[in-house]
Amino acid sequence: MIVGLGMAEIVSAIPTSGGPYFWAARLAPVKHAAFASWITGWFNLLGQVAVTTGISFGLAGLISTTATLNSDYTPTPGKTIGIYAAILISHGMVNTFGVHILRFLNDSSIILHSLGIFAFAVAVLAKAPTHQNAKFVFATFYDGTGDPGWSMRASPAYVAACGILFSQYTLTGFDASAHLSEETRNAAWSAPMGVIMSIGVSSIFGFFLILSLLFSIQDFATTVGSSVGQPVAQILLDIFGTNGAIVLMTLIMICVWHCGLFSMTSNSRMMFAFSRDAALPRFFHQVDARFQSPIRTVWLAAFLSFLLALPSLGSTVAFAAATSIATIGLYLSYGIPILIALIYPNGYTKGPFSLGIMSRPVGLVAVAWIMFITVIFCLPTANPVNEQTLNYTVVAVGIIAIFAIGGWFLSARKWFTGPIRQIEVRHGDTVVSEPVFMGQEKI
């Protein structure tokens, strides 16, 4: 929430589909604007692609698990990748041909993620034959990182820090409000409120959901060692039986499908803005006249997300790595503008959403937290560490860092001048802009 508050204040002042990389250019001194924008944009692009990967690859795993509940289906990495490809294609098709129904799908997603998940959690609690006590839920430590686990090789604190990953990953993507701000009315207020609300609502519902599952575990050893390979599915099997578990797993999968869909929507808008500003080839800066969609960036997002999941064919920690990459990439892109705003507080005029005297303390805590998780999420989470369990997050993040920094000094510094100034010229439902560059003029 601290990071979200820092971001909300900035997006209120600078609402644009470019999001963090545009903020970096706007907040930095003119001579550093293009470099700040370039670095931030590439980390944001990495995070956006990895988020889409994490969501949709996770959905593929859920489909594979559910298929085993009432059949002789046997999941394999190849089959899971095939399911994953089909999911990406479905998201790409909707974002290509169904842009006008995205609003209605967004409404249905809100209902599913609020009323649907609330009903799910209540049903689990109500139907469970027995319930765990509060001591088990809040005071039981489980390592789960191998034998011996990292709590023995390092410390329980190390395991707890690694365990932050999935909750931190869940609270990403709130910059979507910024990426869609050019398609939003009164963006200077509605975009920051979208950031805050998405974090707050997700936290409340997520906490309630995980508590309902933990209190409803019937046998802990059976749950963590489940033959279906999915603890949540095992909890549902123990409570509802096979048919009931399939119904509720289907509800979860529908919710996750919606998440993946809108992740690709946000991803494609960011890439559209990045190509508009020449960081990506201008080939991708195009809105289809018939379908009113940036089709080329939609399918670029799908393709890159597919590539990022290919290591799963030879890795047992691919999903954890994808979520680590997503979390680090996005939070670094969130943190750079916040850091620049701390260093140059007079570089912009605050919008209607302002933290006042709390602006600097919030920014300092946000930057410190992002530095902490960037280190922690690159560390191994399974023991022993080998080619199957290696956390390749540092490789992916390192490649982007080297490419972005090296590319800047070797080439981009000669031609990349930063984001272009926003002029409201509309092609269908998407705002494009005339070429006045931030590196040449501050707005």
Side-chain angles (χ1 to χ4, degrees):
M1 181 60 81
I2 294 295
V3 176
L5 286 170
M7 176 188 289
E9 184 175 56
I10 294 173
V11 71
S12 179
I14 317 171
T16 171
S17 69
Y21 85 92
F22 189 93
W23 307 334
R26 177 63 180 84
L27 295 167
V30 173
K31 64 179 180 178
H32 301 308
F35 176 69
S37 174
W38 174 265
I39 296 297
T40 305
W42 279 106
F43 276 121
N44 190 252
L45 188 148
L46 171 68
Q48 290 274 349
V49 171
V51 162
T52 302
T53 302
I55 295 171
S56 297
F57 187 73
L59 175 56
L62 291 174
I63 292 172
S64 292
T65 297
T66 305
T68 67
L69 298 184
N70 201 24
S71 71
D72 58 357
Y73 176 81
T74 302
T76 65
K79 291 177 182 177
T80 303
I81 279 288
I83 296 171
Y84 173 60
I87 293 167
L88 289 177
I89 290 172
S90 72
H91 291 158
M93 296 292 283
V94 174
N95 274 293
T96 296
F97 304 114
V99 67
H100 295 297
I101 67 170
L102 287 176
R103 179 176 59 185
F104 302 104
L105 288 172
N106 184 60
D107 292 340
S108 67
S109 179
I110 292 172
I111 294 171
L112 286 167
H113 282 85
S114 53
L115 297 180
I117 296 303
F118 178 78
F120 174 96
V122 170
V124 169
L125 286 170
K127 182 66 174 175
T130 61
H131 295 95
Q132 299 290 344
N133 57 41
K135 182 179 180 180
F136 169 82
V137 173
F138 295 107
T140 300
F141 178 81
Y142 173 69
D143 189 317
T145 59
D147 185 19
W150 282 108
S151 62
M152 298 294 293
R153 289 195 62 186
S155 73
Y158 177 83
V159 177
C162 292
I164 296 170
L165 171 60
F166 288 110
S167 58
Q168 194 75 57
Y169 168 70
T170 301
L171 298 175
T172 57
F174 43 85
D175 59 324
S177 297
H179 291 303
L180 297 175
S181 60
E182 292 177 9
E183 304 169 50
T184 306
R185 293 180 180 178
N186 192 23
W189 179 254
S190 58
M193 291 309 298
V195 171
I196 300 303
M197 287 295 293
S198 65
I199 297 172
V201 172
S202 296
S203 299
I204 292 170
F205 276 92
F207 188 63
F208 178 59
L209 175 61
I210 197 168
L211 285 183
S212 70
L213 291 168
L214 290 173
F215 274 109
S216 301
I217 290 174
Q218 299 304 295
D219 182 89
F220 183 71
T222 300
T223 299
V224 297
S226 173
S227 60
V228 299
Q230 170 49 261
V232 172
Q234 187 61 52
I235 293 172
L236 298 180
L237 279 171
D238 292 341
I239 297 173
F240 297 98
T242 301
N243 292 335
I246 291 173
V247 170
L248 291 179
M249 287 293 289
T250 300
L251 172 61
I252 294 172
M253 291 186 291
I254 292 173
C255 290
V256 177
W257 184 88
H258 278 79
C259 288
L261 173 69
F262 289 107
S263 174
M264 185 175 290
T265 303
S266 176
N267 195 345
S268 63
R269 270 38 174 200
M270 184 273 164
M271 290 181 176
F272 175 83
F274 216 28
S275 62
R276 174 189 63 196
D277 301 333
L280 288 176
R282 286 291 178 88
F283 170 81
F284 295 107
H285 179 228
Q286 189 230 28
V287 176
D288 185 83
R290 179 180 178 186
F291 297 109
Q292 308 298 312
S293 171
I295 292 176
R296 293 175 181 176
T297 54
V298 166
W299 291 101
L300 175 62
F303 175 70
L304 293 177
S305 297
F306 180 76
L307 289 183
L308 193 57
L310 288 180
S312 68
L313 295 172
S315 173
T316 59
V317 295
F319 178 70
T323 55
S324 294
I325 295 166
T327 306
I328 291 173
L330 287 180
Y331 274 93
L332 282 175
S333 72
Y334 301 163
I336 292 173
I338 296 173
L339 177 61
I340 294 172
L342 283 172
I343 298 172
Y344 305 103
N346 298 320
Y348 70 110
T349 301
K350 293 183 179 180
F353 183 91
S354 174
L355 298 176
I357 61 173
M358 293 303 297
S359 180
R360 289 187 66 80
V362 166
L364 287 170
V365 173
V367 171
W369 178 253
I370 291 169
M371 292 172 63
F372 170 73
I373 63 173
T374 298
V375 174
I376 287 296
F377 296 163
C378 286
L379 300 177
T381 57
N383 186 52
V385 179
N386 53 42
E387 67 277 3
Q388 286 287 318
T389 61
L390 177 69
N391 184 353
Y392 60 85
T393 299
V394 68
V395 177
V397 175
I399 288 173
I400 287 296
I402 293 171
F403 171 81
I405 296 172
W408 173 260
F409 287 104
L410 291 176
S411 177
R413 64 186 176 86
K414 301 175 184 177
W415 49 264
F416 182 73
T417 53
I420 58 177
R421 189 173 66 185
Q422 310 300 296
I423 302 296
E424 292 191 356
V425 179
R426 291 187 175 270
H427 289 249
D429 292 333
T430 304
V431 176
V432 295
S433 311
E434 66 176 19
V436 178
F437 293 90
M438 288 289 298
Q440 302 168 349
E441 175 181 348
K442 285 284 187 180
I443 60 174

